[in-house]
Amino acid sequence: MFGRVVIVLFVAVVLWAVLVHDTGAGPTPRYHTVRQGETLWSIASERYRGDPREGVWRLEQRNHLAGATIVPGQRLMLP
């Protein structure tokens, strides 16, 4: 009896894992176009509370940047 319950629960979990997927119904992404003289640090200081280093790290991660170099006109996705 216990074995059957375990098997049914296992099958239910597997089916749930297969059928559940991301609907893409998350919030609309926000963007920032880099202006002359801006740095990741200045953007992070304006947009995020607390330590700007975390904001810089998030911007780098979100935009797949290899470093902190950005250029005017570049469009950054905000985390």
Side-chain angles (χ1 to χ4, degrees):
M1 177 68 179
F2 179 74
R4 289 182 184 175
V5 171
V6 170
I7 291 172
V8 169
L9 286 175
F10 178 74
V11 170
V13 168
V14 169
L15 284 174
W16 175 79
V18 169
L19 297 175
V20 172
H21 63 281
D22 184 17
T23 63
T28 305
R30 297 176 304 152
Y31 293 94
H32 175 81
T33 303
V34 178
R35 295 183 299 264
Q36 184 70 31
E38 283 188 316
T39 63
L40 284 180
W41 186 273
S42 65
I43 295 168
S45 296
E46 291 174 8
R47 301 276 181 170
Y48 305 103
R49 289 184 228 164
D51 191 353
R53 290 177 290 190
E54 184 176 348
V56 169
W57 181 82
R58 287 182 179 197
L59 285 166
E60 288 175 339
Q61 296 298 310
R62 180 68 178 228
N63 293 284
H64 308 290
L65 301 174
T69 304
I70 55 174
V71 294
Q74 185 174 357
R75 191 171 180 216
L76 299 174
M77 184 182 297
L78 300 174

